[in-house]
Structure formats: structure tokens, C-alpha cells
Amino acid sequence: MAKKRIVVLTTGGTIAGVGESGKDTGYVSGQIPGETLVASVPELLEYADVRVEEICNVNSDDITDKIWISLANRVKELQEDESVDGIVITHGTDTMDETAYFLSLTVKCEKAVILTGAMKPSTAKNPDGPANLLGAVRAAAGFAVDDDPPENKVWVYFGGELFDARSVQKCSASAMNPMGVNYPGEGSNWNALKEQNFFDVSGLDSLPRVNVVYFSVDANPKILLYASSVSDGLVIAGAGSGEFSRGWAEALSGIDIPVVVSTRIHHGLVTLNERLAPGRICAGRLPPQKAAVLLRLALTVTDRVSDLRRIFSL
Ligand code: ASP
């Protein structure tokens, strides 16, 4: 059987990080060029014909809307390219869940798109990047993970597991497999939904600005006012099921940009408290950073609360 043709798009992160030889910490992300990163895992060629393209080489905390748009445009072109069977993207783990979700909302996939990365730099004693890259390329080439080959959509591959783009979240700052899901069990079968959001970003060169504001005991309501003055939309990472103080509720009542209410808790469902946040939008199961991705995209087509509520209900 002919080998599948996989394109690896590299963006940087710890997987391309360099530090003192043999050490796991104190390194700089996004150093090794894409070609070198892929050439360091020759076993890839046993499973697929691999081509590499470097999109950028940054710490994933420095990913921007411009990088997202160029990545989405390139993934879209590769989806349409008949000489390509699957796409792997190497990426820092810090914001991998956001990029995966962004791509799932902006590219229609006929071929699997699989993001992967590493928790240890390439110069560590036992780097985890090569095994993750190999697993991601194998999965993109149709080799089974957990008994089944992946469907054609956006995934994160880490430590032998595939996570879907909507429910994946970086859940540990230090575990060797830091990925998990933000709503385990019930409700996680997003793929079964008939209707899903889709946004065409191909004609854009930037996205509306959305900032996340984190509530904690006695948090100054003025941070909400400041955040609203530098944003097109806000996401509140509230306490519990999206709650905050009366002081915040009062400050919020004077803010006239779209506000999505999410929670700082990692698991569970937010229900909008109309007493605290009348006329606002409920994030449902989306954690704050993913609610921000969806709000940025939604604001490219509407700023009406009723439309935004519908978009967030899907
Ligand atoms: N700071 C790194 C990044 O996201 C962390 C990692 O890749 O694990 O680029």
C-alpha cells in the first residue's frame, strides 16, 4: 500500500525548544527550524511521506490572530491539495487547545488535522517530542489510535491519546501528558451535533480583540471597566457557575460591549445568572480561553446579543 502523504506545519513551542543539554527546564521555546525538528525523527518515514513547512517558530504564548489566520489559510489550501492526505501541526502546549479550537471553527476538514507538541525541549535527556510527533503523523496517516483511526477533523495528539479540538484543554502545567478534556462524560460528544459554527477568515487580516477578566474575592470592579475600554468583547472567568460580586455586577451594567460569562472552574457547565449578568452571553461548557476564541470569531459576523447567544448555544 502506498504511504500516505503528510504535511507537517511547524509553529514552535517546547517541542522546538533548546536549552542546556540533558536538562528539562530553563530552555527557550521555538528555536529549532521545522526541517531539523522533523529530520530528528527518521522513523516517521516508515509510516508516511513527510513534507515540512514552517509557519512560524514562537513560544505559543506569542501566537497572534495573524498567525492563526495564516495557519487556517494554509490548512485550508492543504485540505484542497490532492497530493496531501493529512496534516500535522507542531505547537507549544500552552495555547494548543485554543489553536485547535480556532482551526476547528475555521477550516472544513476532509482530512485529519492533528496538533502535537512536547513538555520537554529537544535538548532534554529524554525528550517527549519525537514520540508525540511520530504518534501524530501515524494518526494523520490513518493508523489507529485507541483502536480506531481518527475522523477527518481537528485533533490534539499527546502521550498516545487523541483529544477532539472542542473539548481538549491543557489541564496540567507540568504532567508529561498535560492534555485532558474540560467536560468529561456527558455532553462531550460534540461531533454528534448536526449544526456547528463555521467562520470564514480567509479574507481577514486580524480578529476583534477579546480579553478574559478573572474574578476572585474582592477583585476590583475597575479592572472590568479598564478591560472593556481596550476590548471589542469580554469574557468573564467567574467563580462557580459563572458568578461574581455585586460590585462587578454593577460595573458590568455600565459596559456596552458583548460579554460572555464563563467559569474559572475546569469542569462543568455554566448557566447564566440573569440577576448578575442580564443581557449577557453564556459560555456553556467552554472554558474562558475557548469562549474568547469563539467570541473573536463571532464578532467578525455580528455583535447582536441574540445572534451571539445562538452561536454560543451550538
Ligand atoms: N511555553 C511553551 C509553549 O507553549 C510550553 C510548551 O510548549 O509546552 O510554547
Side-chain angles (χ1 to χ4, degrees), residues 80-288:
E80 285 155 14
D81 182 338
E82 282 176 8
S83 71
V84 174
D85 296 309
I87 299 146
V88 166
I89 301 171
T90 59
H91 196 288
T93 61
D94 287 354
T95 62
M96 190 182 288
D97 52 357
E98 291 169 68
T99 297
Y101 186 45
F102 171 80
L103 289 173
S104 77
L105 292 167
T106 54
V107 184
K108 290 192 173 139
C109 294
E110 297 290 321
K111 303 161 191 171
V113 176
I114 304 185
L115 287 86
T116 195
M119 289 298 279
K120 293 190 202 169
S122 63
T123 44
K125 197 162 172 209
N126 291 306
D128 54 329
N132 282 336
L133 182 56
L134 181 61
V137 167
R138 279 176 46 103
F143 290 90
V145 177
D146 291 341
D147 298 335
D148 282 319
E151 293 163 52
N152 294 334
K153 57 191 190 69
V154 183
W155 302 91
V156 164
Y157 176 91
F158 225 100
E161 281 180 84
L162 275 178
F163 302 90
D164 91 64
R166 169 135 158 162
S167 55
V168 68
Q169 190 171 352
K170 185 171 182 180
C171 293
S172 168
S174 54
M176 283 313 293
N177 182 353
M179 300 300 165
V181 291
N182 62 330
Y183 41 93
E186 182 266 320
S188 62
N189 194 6
W190 180 60
N191 304 314
L193 293 180
K194 285 202 197 73
E195 211 185 339
Q196 291 179 18
N197 285 308
F198 176 78
F199 303 92
D200 182 4
V201 294
S202 56
L204 303 179
D205 58 13
S206 66
L207 294 175
R209 206 165 265 285
V210 169
N211 288 293
V212 176
V213 195
Y214 192 103
F215 176 75
S216 59
V217 166
D218 282 339
N220 191 329
K222 285 188 185 151
I223 63 169
L224 268 182
L225 300 177
Y226 175 72
S228 71
S229 74
V230 293
S231 308
D232 302 304
L234 285 185
V235 174
I236 294 180
S241 67
E243 305 224 357
F244 37 79
S245 64
R246 278 183 289 172
W248 268 42
E250 204 179 304
L252 189 60
S253 66
I255 289 174
D256 61 3
I257 56 172
V259 178
V260 174
V261 180
S262 180
T263 177
R264 62 187 195 177
I265 309 290
H266 278 185
H267 295 155
L269 178 67
V270 168
T271 45
L272 192 73
N273 182 330
E274 289 283 355
R275 186 180 46 79
L276 280 179
R280 302 306 179 175
I281 301 127
C282 180
R285 295 184 188 278
L286 290 178

Side-chain angles (χ1 to χ4, degrees), residues 12-15 27 29 58-61 91-95 118-119 170:
T14 295
I15 192 167
Y27 59 90
S29 286
V58 298
N59 184 340
S60 72
D61 305 290
H91 196 288
T93 61
D94 287 354
T95 62
M119 289 298 279
K170 185 171 182 180

